[in-house]
PDB file of all heavy atoms in Angstrom:
ATOM      1  N   VAL A 159      97.344  68.474 114.462  1.00  0.00           N
ATOM      2  CA  VAL A 159      96.118  68.054 114.874  1.00  0.00           C
ATOM      3  C   VAL A 159      95.431  69.344 115.524  1.00  0.00           C
ATOM      4  O   VAL A 159      94.290  69.646 115.264  1.00  0.00           O
ATOM      5  CB  VAL A 159      96.161  67.003 115.905  1.00  0.00           C
ATOM      6  CG1 VAL A 159      94.900  66.551 116.552  1.00  0.00           C
ATOM      7  CG2 VAL A 159      96.802  65.664 115.206  1.00  0.00           C
ATOM      8  N   ILE A 160      96.115  70.049 116.385  1.00  0.00           N
ATOM      9  CA  ILE A 160      95.550  71.155 116.957  1.00  0.00           C
ATOM     10  C   ILE A 160      95.181  72.335 115.966  1.00  0.00           C
ATOM     11  O   ILE A 160      93.997  72.862 116.035  1.00  0.00           O
ATOM     12  CB  ILE A 160      96.445  71.660 118.076  1.00  0.00           C
ATOM     13  CG1 ILE A 160      96.610  70.691 119.216  1.00  0.00           C
ATOM     14  CG2 ILE A 160      95.970  73.132 118.579  1.00  0.00           C
ATOM     15  CD1 ILE A 160      97.688  71.069 120.303  1.00  0.00           C
ATOM     16  N   ASP A 161      96.030  72.542 114.946  1.00  0.00           N
ATOM     17  CA  ASP A 161      95.682  73.621 113.984  1.00  0.00           C
ATOM     18  C   ASP A 161      94.443  73.116 113.068  1.00  0.00           C
ATOM     19  O   ASP A 161      93.571  73.949 112.865  1.00  0.00           O
ATOM     20  CB  ASP A 161      96.773  73.768 112.990  1.00  0.00           C
ATOM     21  CG  ASP A 161      97.978  74.481 113.750  1.00  0.00           C
ATOM     22  OD1 ASP A 161      97.728  75.076 114.769  1.00  0.00           O
ATOM     23  OD2 ASP A 161      99.132  74.607 113.157  1.00  0.00           O
ATOM     24  N   THR A 162      94.244  71.795 112.906  1.00  0.00           N
ATOM     25  CA  THR A 162      93.084  71.344 112.119  1.00  0.00           C
ATOM     26  C   THR A 162      91.892  71.498 113.095  1.00  0.00           C
ATOM     27  O   THR A 162      90.715  71.941 112.536  1.00  0.00           O
ATOM     28  CB  THR A 162      93.179  69.971 111.784  1.00  0.00           C
ATOM     29  OG1 THR A 162      94.498  69.698 111.167  1.00  0.00           O
ATOM     30  CG2 THR A 162      92.144  69.391 110.875  1.00  0.00           C
ATOM     31  N   MET A 163      91.996  71.390 114.376  1.00  0.00           N
ATOM     32  CA  MET A 163      90.906  71.582 115.244  1.00  0.00           C
ATOM     33  C   MET A 163      90.411  72.993 115.248  1.00  0.00           C
ATOM     34  O   MET A 163      89.225  73.387 115.139  1.00  0.00           O
ATOM     35  CB  MET A 163      91.259  71.069 116.731  1.00  0.00           C
ATOM     36  CG  MET A 163      91.327  69.627 116.852  1.00  0.00           C
ATOM     37  SD  MET A 163      91.985  69.121 118.480  1.00  0.00           S
ATOM     38  CE  MET A 163      90.548  69.252 119.457  1.00  0.00           C
ATOM     39  N   ILE A 164      91.466  73.945 115.282  1.00  0.00           N
ATOM     40  CA  ILE A 164      91.263  75.327 115.202  1.00  0.00           C
ATOM     41  C   ILE A 164      90.428  75.620 113.827  1.00  0.00           C
ATOM     42  O   ILE A 164      89.377  76.340 113.850  1.00  0.00           O
ATOM     43  CB  ILE A 164      92.430  76.168 115.305  1.00  0.00           C
ATOM     44  CG1 ILE A 164      93.137  76.033 116.637  1.00  0.00           C
ATOM     45  CG2 ILE A 164      92.203  77.773 115.017  1.00  0.00           C
ATOM     46  CD1 ILE A 164      94.583  76.510 116.853  1.00  0.00           C
ATOM     47  N   GLU A 165      90.913  75.182 112.681  1.00  0.00           N
ATOM     48  CA  GLU A 165      90.345  75.385 111.364  1.00  0.00           C
ATOM     49  C   GLU A 165      88.865  74.974 111.387  1.00  0.00           C
ATOM     50  O   GLU A 165      87.965  75.614 110.873  1.00  0.00           O
ATOM     51  CB  GLU A 165      91.025  74.633 110.337  1.00  0.00           C
ATOM     52  CG  GLU A 165      92.229  75.191 109.814  1.00  0.00           C
ATOM     53  CD  GLU A 165      93.090  74.208 109.041  1.00  0.00           C
ATOM     54  OE1 GLU A 165      92.658  73.293 108.320  1.00  0.00           O
ATOM     55  OE2 GLU A 165      94.362  74.278 108.955  1.00  0.00           O
ATOM     56  N   GLN A 166      88.711  73.887 112.042  1.00  0.00           N
ATOM     57  CA  GLN A 166      87.286  73.358 112.058  1.00  0.00           C
ATOM     58  C   GLN A 166      86.305  74.007 113.081  1.00  0.00           C
ATOM     59  O   GLN A 166      85.132  73.760 113.351  1.00  0.00           O
ATOM     60  CB  GLN A 166      87.231  71.846 112.217  1.00  0.00           C
ATOM     61  CG  GLN A 166      87.830  71.134 111.153  1.00  0.00           C
ATOM     62  CD  GLN A 166      87.621  69.544 111.293  1.00  0.00           C
ATOM     63  OE1 GLN A 166      86.896  69.106 112.115  1.00  0.00           O
ATOM     64  NE2 GLN A 166      88.288  68.860 110.468  1.00  0.00           N
ATOM     65  N   GLY A 167      86.940  75.034 113.938  1.00  0.00           N
ATOM     66  CA  GLY A 167      86.241  75.699 114.850  1.00  0.00           C
ATOM     67  C   GLY A 167      85.862  74.813 116.075  1.00  0.00           C
ATOM     68  O   GLY A 167      84.975  75.125 116.892  1.00  0.00           O
ATOM     69  N   ILE A 168      86.506  73.690 116.369  1.00  0.00           N
ATOM     70  CA  ILE A 168      86.184  72.889 117.459  1.00  0.00           C
ATOM     71  C   ILE A 168      87.279  72.712 118.549  1.00  0.00           C
ATOM     72  O   ILE A 168      87.097  71.911 119.417  1.00  0.00           O
ATOM     73  CB  ILE A 168      85.959  71.353 116.936  1.00  0.00           C
ATOM     74  CG1 ILE A 168      87.105  70.866 116.237  1.00  0.00           C
ATOM     75  CG2 ILE A 168      84.662  71.319 116.123  1.00  0.00           C
ATOM     76  CD1 ILE A 168      86.974  69.357 115.928  1.00  0.00           C
ATOM     77  N   ARG A 169      88.286  73.532 118.443  1.00  0.00           N
ATOM     78  CA  ARG A 169      89.538  73.479 119.267  1.00  0.00           C
ATOM     79  C   ARG A 169      89.042  73.628 120.752  1.00  0.00           C
ATOM     80  O   ARG A 169      89.349  72.800 121.610  1.00  0.00           O
ATOM     81  CB  ARG A 169      90.557  74.557 119.066  1.00  0.00           C
ATOM     82  CG  ARG A 169      91.542  74.783 120.111  1.00  0.00           C
ATOM     83  CD  ARG A 169      92.446  73.508 120.220  1.00  0.00           C
ATOM     84  NE  ARG A 169      93.354  73.669 121.448  1.00  0.00           N
ATOM     85  CZ  ARG A 169      93.083  73.284 122.593  1.00  0.00           C
ATOM     86  NH1 ARG A 169      91.716  72.762 122.984  1.00  0.00           N
ATOM     87  NH2 ARG A 169      93.956  73.435 123.632  1.00  0.00           N
ATOM     88  N   ASP A 170      88.182  74.598 121.033  1.00  0.00           N
ATOM     89  CA  ASP A 170      87.727  74.822 122.472  1.00  0.00           C
ATOM     90  C   ASP A 170      86.689  73.776 122.998  1.00  0.00           C
ATOM     91  O   ASP A 170      86.173  73.905 124.051  1.00  0.00           O
ATOM     92  CB  ASP A 170      87.100  76.208 122.590  1.00  0.00           C
ATOM     93  CG  ASP A 170      88.299  77.259 122.361  1.00  0.00           C
ATOM     94  OD1 ASP A 170      89.502  76.860 122.568  1.00  0.00           O
ATOM     95  OD2 ASP A 170      88.029  78.389 122.058  1.00  0.00           O
ATOM     96  N   ASP A 171      86.174  72.879 122.112  1.00  0.00           N
ATOM     97  CA  ASP A 171      85.258  71.916 122.584  1.00  0.00           C
ATOM     98  C   ASP A 171      85.951  70.716 123.366  1.00  0.00           C
ATOM     99  O   ASP A 171      85.258  69.967 124.019  1.00  0.00           O
ATOM    100  CB  ASP A 171      84.564  71.224 121.399  1.00  0.00           C
ATOM    101  CG  ASP A 171      83.797  72.137 120.581  1.00  0.00           C
ATOM    102  OD1 ASP A 171      83.423  73.274 121.131  1.00  0.00           O
ATOM    103  OD2 ASP A 171      83.324  71.775 119.450  1.00  0.00           O
ATOM    104  N   TYR A 172      87.383  70.796 123.311  1.00  0.00           N
ATOM    105  CA  TYR A 172      88.148  69.753 123.892  1.00  0.00           C
ATOM    106  C   TYR A 172      89.308  70.278 124.667  1.00  0.00           C
ATOM    107  O   TYR A 172      89.875  71.264 124.453  1.00  0.00           O
ATOM    108  CB  TYR A 172      88.678  68.705 122.835  1.00  0.00           C
ATOM    109  CG  TYR A 172      87.618  68.166 121.918  1.00  0.00           C
ATOM    110  CD1 TYR A 172      87.394  68.783 120.690  1.00  0.00           C
ATOM    111  CD2 TYR A 172      86.814  67.031 122.262  1.00  0.00           C
ATOM    112  CE1 TYR A 172      86.476  68.284 119.836  1.00  0.00           C
ATOM    113  CE2 TYR A 172      85.787  66.702 121.440  1.00  0.00           C
ATOM    114  CZ  TYR A 172      85.546  67.191 120.203  1.00  0.00           C
ATOM    115  OH  TYR A 172      84.595  66.802 119.405  1.00  0.00           O
ATOM    116  N   ILE A 173      89.712  69.470 125.878  1.00  0.00           N
ATOM    117  CA  ILE A 173      90.817  69.782 126.513  1.00  0.00           C
ATOM    118  C   ILE A 173      91.878  68.864 125.729  1.00  0.00           C
ATOM    119  O   ILE A 173      91.743  67.700 125.615  1.00  0.00           O
ATOM    120  CB  ILE A 173      90.687  69.171 127.964  1.00  0.00           C
ATOM    121  CG1 ILE A 173      89.655  70.061 128.684  1.00  0.00           C
ATOM    122  CG2 ILE A 173      92.020  69.206 128.677  1.00  0.00           C
ATOM    123  CD1 ILE A 173      89.105  69.288 129.941  1.00  0.00           C
ATOM    124  N   VAL A 174      92.999  69.581 125.361  1.00  0.00           N
ATOM    125  CA  VAL A 174      94.023  68.815 124.656  1.00  0.00           C
ATOM    126  C   VAL A 174      95.254  68.689 125.474  1.00  0.00           C
ATOM    127  O   VAL A 174      95.840  69.609 125.972  1.00  0.00           O
ATOM    128  CB  VAL A 174      94.341  69.611 123.256  1.00  0.00           C
ATOM    129  CG1 VAL A 174      95.550  68.847 122.562  1.00  0.00           C
ATOM    130  CG2 VAL A 174      93.166  69.556 122.372  1.00  0.00           C
ATOM    131  N   LEU A 175      95.519  67.369 125.846  1.00  0.00           N
ATOM    132  CA  LEU A 175      96.818  67.104 126.572  1.00  0.00           C
ATOM    133  C   LEU A 175      97.750  66.308 125.786  1.00  0.00           C
ATOM    134  O   LEU A 175      97.370  65.453 124.919  1.00  0.00           O
ATOM    135  CB  LEU A 175      96.334  66.083 127.835  1.00  0.00           C
ATOM    136  CG  LEU A 175      95.212  66.615 128.686  1.00  0.00           C
ATOM    137  CD1 LEU A 175      94.900  65.605 129.835  1.00  0.00           C
ATOM    138  CD2 LEU A 175      95.553  67.948 129.420  1.00  0.00           C
ATOM    139  N   VAL A 176      99.072  66.666 125.891  1.00  0.00           N
ATOM    140  CA  VAL A 176     100.050  66.011 125.163  1.00  0.00           C
ATOM    141  C   VAL A 176     101.220  65.540 126.048  1.00  0.00           C
ATOM    142  O   VAL A 176     101.326  66.040 127.203  1.00  0.00           O
ATOM    143  CB  VAL A 176     100.671  67.002 124.078  1.00  0.00           C
ATOM    144  CG1 VAL A 176      99.630  67.375 123.105  1.00  0.00           C
ATOM    145  CG2 VAL A 176     101.342  68.229 124.792  1.00  0.00           C
ATOM    146  N   GLY A 177     101.910  64.496 125.590  1.00  0.00           N
ATOM    147  CA  GLY A 177     102.911  63.878 126.528  1.00  0.00           C
ATOM    148  C   GLY A 177     103.916  63.032 125.490  1.00  0.00           C
ATOM    149  O   GLY A 177     103.577  62.738 124.413  1.00  0.00           O
ATOM    150  N   GLY A 178     104.935  62.704 126.200  1.00  0.00           N
ATOM    151  CA  GLY A 178     106.058  61.738 125.554  1.00  0.00           C
ATOM    152  C   GLY A 178     107.351  62.351 125.880  1.00  0.00           C
ATOM    153  O   GLY A 178     107.548  63.519 126.125  1.00  0.00           O
ATOM    154  N   ALA A 179     108.367  61.463 125.974  1.00  0.00           N
ATOM    155  CA  ALA A 179     109.635  61.768 126.526  1.00  0.00           C
ATOM    156  C   ALA A 179     110.331  63.083 125.729  1.00  0.00           C
ATOM    157  O   ALA A 179     110.998  63.902 126.587  1.00  0.00           O
ATOM    158  CB  ALA A 179     110.615  60.525 126.220  1.00  0.00           C
ATOM    159  N   PRO A 180     110.259  63.313 124.504  1.00  0.00           N
ATOM    160  CA  PRO A 180     110.955  64.479 123.971  1.00  0.00           C
ATOM    161  C   PRO A 180     110.352  65.790 124.237  1.00  0.00           C
ATOM    162  O   PRO A 180     110.882  66.828 123.835  1.00  0.00           O
ATOM    163  CB  PRO A 180     111.157  64.145 122.457  1.00  0.00           C
ATOM    164  CG  PRO A 180     109.799  63.326 122.081  1.00  0.00           C
ATOM    165  CD  PRO A 180     109.541  62.539 123.497  1.00  0.00           C
ATOM    166  N   LEU A 181     109.027  65.768 124.572  1.00  0.00           N
ATOM    167  CA  LEU A 181     108.329  67.029 124.822  1.00  0.00           C
ATOM    168  C   LEU A 181     108.685  67.726 126.192  1.00  0.00           C
ATOM    169  O   LEU A 181     109.263  67.179 127.137  1.00  0.00           O
ATOM    170  CB  LEU A 181     106.803  66.704 124.850  1.00  0.00           C
ATOM    171  CG  LEU A 181     106.108  66.556 123.681  1.00  0.00           C
ATOM    172  CD1 LEU A 181     106.419  65.313 123.001  1.00  0.00           C
ATOM    173  CD2 LEU A 181     104.549  66.504 123.914  1.00  0.00           C
ATOM    174  N   ASN A 182     108.233  69.023 126.197  1.00  0.00           N
ATOM    175  CA  ASN A 182     108.310  69.814 127.452  1.00  0.00           C
ATOM    176  C   ASN A 182     107.166  70.834 127.567  1.00  0.00           C
ATOM    177  O   ASN A 182     106.489  71.053 126.601  1.00  0.00           O
ATOM    178  CB  ASN A 182     109.664  70.423 127.617  1.00  0.00           C
ATOM    179  CG  ASN A 182     110.002  71.314 126.540  1.00  0.00           C
ATOM    180  OD1 ASN A 182     109.217  72.033 125.945  1.00  0.00           O
ATOM    181  ND2 ASN A 182     111.295  71.260 126.070  1.00  0.00           N
TER     182      ASN A 182
END
Side-chain angles (χ1 to χ4, degrees):
V159 176
I160 294 175
D161 286 349
T162 308
M163 292 171 82
I164 294 170
E165 274 164 31
Q166 295 190 7
I168 57 166
R169 169 63 187 88
D170 294 337
D171 296 348
Y172 305 100
I173 295 158
V174 178
L175 302 181
V176 295
L181 280 65
N182 56 39

